[in-house]
């Protein structure tokens, strides 16, 4: 049931903030800024030093807020996936498809979102029970690609990451994406000078754009 709730929350919010940071503390601050701005689904990447501490902290702090969903990104192997799940991650994201990660996530009832570009990659991922395909990098293909994919695979849930901006977010969603992932275009505002209010403001702009 929790898996269904997680997927529903992502589909309802339509935006997943992809958090990359130089420390777990910075990741927590950026995440809180996103949530304050209305983006309540966040993916903390394994490129963050001490990311599991950040995941545990955020899951604990927002455990009573059903809107907030915390997942792990840049998960390259099954060991990392299990560590992420044990830390409290509610979904797992990879830059590429992994059979081992897919099986592990299925075992624990956790949504898995692997990075795919081609129809062949997507078909294989779907065969292993993938719930959402992370179209990555989205900048490689653009919003029109969604229509091309959904012609032969109308049932596939696609979430583009990379190449999503304020200017094109509505186009991605109108073309049939279940949600979008937003990374640098959202969080880099804070990384330059530590001004987390900029992230909150940008998050609000994204939320207003789709509402």
């Amino acid at each position: 049931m929790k898996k269904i709730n997680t997927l529903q929350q992502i589909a309802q919010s339509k935006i997943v903030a992809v958090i990359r940071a130089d420390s777990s503390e910075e990741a927590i601050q950026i995440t809180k800024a996103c949530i304050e701005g209305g983006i309540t689904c966040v993916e903390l990447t394994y490129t963050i030093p001490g990311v599991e501490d950040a995941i545990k902290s955020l899951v604990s702090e927002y455990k009573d807020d059903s809107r907030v969903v915390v997942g792990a990104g840049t998960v390259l192997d099954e060991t990392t996936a299990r560590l992420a799940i044990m830390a409290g991650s509610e979904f797992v994201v990879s830059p590429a498809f992994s059979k081992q990660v897919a099986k592990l996530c299925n075992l624990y009832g956790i949504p898995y979102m692997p990075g795919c570009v081609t129809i062949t990659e997507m078909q294989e991922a779907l065969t292993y029970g993938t719930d959402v395909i992370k179209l990555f990098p989205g900048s490689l293909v653009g919003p029109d690609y969604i229509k091309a994919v959904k012609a032969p695979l109308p049932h596939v849930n696609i979430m583009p990451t990379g190449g999503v901006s304020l200017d094109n977010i509505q186009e991605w969603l109108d073309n049939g994406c279940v949600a979008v992932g937003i990374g640098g275009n959202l969080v880099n505002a804070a990384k330059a000078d530590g001004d987390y209010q900029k992230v909150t403001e940008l998050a609000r702009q994204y939320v207003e754009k789709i509402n």
Side-chain angles (χ1 to χ4, degrees):
M1 193 65 184
K2 188 180 180 187
K3 181 177 185 177
I4 294 169
N5 290 340
T6 298
L7 291 167
Q8 283 178 338
Q9 200 58 48
I10 291 170
Q12 283 170 9
S13 64
K14 294 185 174 63
I15 300 174
V16 175
V18 182
I19 313 294
R20 295 189 187 277
D22 297 323
S23 67
S24 59
E25 294 80 10
E26 185 183 49
I28 290 168
Q29 292 302 320
I30 293 173
T31 299
K32 288 181 177 180
C34 288
I35 293 170
E36 191 180 332
I39 297 178
T40 54
C41 297
V42 293
E43 169 196 331
L44 277 71
T45 68
Y46 259 84
T47 56
I48 302 167
V51 66
E52 284 153 33
D53 293 333
I55 292 169
K56 285 176 188 171
S57 174
L58 290 163
V59 168
S60 174
E61 182 166 349
Y62 292 100
K63 66 179 184 294
D64 297 324
D65 189 339
S66 61
R67 299 171 308 134
V68 176
V69 178
V70 180
T74 322
V75 175
L76 303 180
D77 55 74
E78 61 193 305
T79 304
T80 307
R82 191 172 189 281
L83 289 170
I85 293 166
M86 294 302 110
S89 294
E90 295 169 273
F91 61 93
V92 167
V93 185
S94 300
F97 174 67
S98 162
K99 294 175 186 176
Q100 290 75 24
V101 175
K103 288 177 179 178
L104 187 99
C105 288
N106 283 334
L107 179 65
Y108 286 100
I110 297 289
Y112 176 45
M113 307 177 188
C116 301
V117 177
T118 67
I119 296 285
T120 303
E121 291 170 339
M122 292 181 191
Q123 185 171 313
E124 183 180 28
L126 291 170
T127 303
Y128 281 84
T130 295
D131 302 289
V132 177
I133 299 289
K134 169 185 170 175
L135 179 64
F136 179 77
S139 55
L140 196 67
V141 290
D144 285 344
Y145 188 65
I146 303 302
K147 291 179 182 176
V149 170
K150 281 193 160 277
L153 299 175
H155 58 288
V156 68
N157 294 313
I158 300 176
M159 181 182 79
T161 302
V164 179
S165 66
L166 274 170
D167 294 330
N168 66 18
I169 183 171
Q170 196 60 55
E171 191 181 354
W172 283 109
L173 293 169
D174 287 347
N175 284 3
C177 293
V178 67
V180 298
I182 307 171
N185 286 342
L186 176 65
V187 304
N188 284 353
K191 288 175 72 63
D193 54 13
D195 187 351
Y196 299 108
Q197 193 58 39
K198 284 181 185 174
V199 177
T200 299
E201 277 307 310
L202 262 176
R204 283 204 184 102
Q205 288 176 41
Y206 275 104
V207 172
E208 284 168 9
K209 193 87 171 179
I210 63 170
N211 289 336

